[in-house]
């Protein structure tokens, strides 16, 4: 609960165009792929473009509208939550491991945001 109020106060007191939270998914070892969560139509635009980029590397699990996550629900600017890949899947993990791969993923995310603007 402290994280929620702390984050939302900072976000909502700023003049931001987009809020983006990065996550790693976890499930059974066979679960794989990338997905981007959003709430608003404006967020959907960003989610679509980021998903399009990340799915060039990972299995496309699609974008998903969610209204039960405070980071998507409680922000004034549009927000997306990126479940970049499954850290519990060896194949996904290998694609995200190391500085070179992390930079490649960051560039794909940035390209998706740029395309949505």
């Amino acid at each position: 609960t402290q994280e929620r109020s702390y984050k939302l106060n900072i976000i909502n007191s700023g003049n931001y165009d987009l809020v983006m939270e990065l996550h790693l998914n976890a499930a059974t070892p066979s679960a794989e792929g990338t997905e981007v969560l959003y709430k608003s139509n404006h967020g959907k635009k960003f989610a679509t473009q980021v998903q399009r980029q990340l799915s060039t590397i990972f299995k496309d699990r699609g974008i998903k509208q969610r209204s039960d996550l405070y980071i998507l629900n409680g922000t004034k600017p549009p927000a997306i939550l990126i479940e970049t890949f499954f850290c519990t899947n060896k194949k996904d993990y290998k694609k995200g491991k190391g500085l070179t791969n992390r930079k490649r993923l960051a560039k794909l995310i940035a390209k998706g945001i740029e395309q949505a603007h």
Side-chain angles (χ1 to χ4, degrees):
T1 59
Q2 291 175 338
E3 180 188 57
R4 175 187 293 191
S5 61
Y6 174 78
K7 277 186 187 178
L8 293 179
N9 285 337
I10 291 172
I11 292 165
N12 290 330
S13 65
N15 188 26
Y16 302 108
D17 295 327
L18 175 69
V19 173
M20 175 181 64
E21 193 162 282
L22 300 172
H23 286 224
L24 295 178
N25 234 333
T28 63
S30 62
E32 63 180 317
T34 187
E35 60 191 14
V36 182
L37 313 177
Y38 70 95
K39 182 182 177 196
S40 69
N41 285 333
H42 198 168
K44 183 178 182 178
K45 184 172 71 168
F46 287 101
T48 299
Q49 294 303 323
V50 170
Q51 180 69 21
R52 183 172 286 140
Q53 293 302 314
L54 289 175
S55 65
T56 63
I57 294 177
F58 300 104
K59 178 183 175 184
D60 188 351
R61 295 174 59 89
I63 62 170
K64 294 177 175 64
Q65 188 172 32
R66 296 277 299 268
S67 60
D68 60 329
L69 301 171
Y70 78 84
I71 198 68
L72 303 178
N73 243 357
T75 60
K76 291 178 185 175
I80 59 174
L81 189 150
I82 303 170
E83 294 283 7
T84 313
F85 61 88
F86 279 85
C87 61
T88 50
N89 179 286
K90 287 181 182 181
K91 188 172 83 175
D92 275 7
Y93 177 77
K94 190 174 181 180
K95 294 176 187 176
K97 184 179 179 183
L99 184 59
T100 300
N101 286 333
R102 290 193 309 263
K103 284 182 177 182
R104 180 173 60 155
L105 294 176
K107 286 179 182 179
L108 288 173
I109 292 167
K111 184 176 180 180
I113 291 169
E114 182 180 29
Q115 289 175 343
H117 249 275

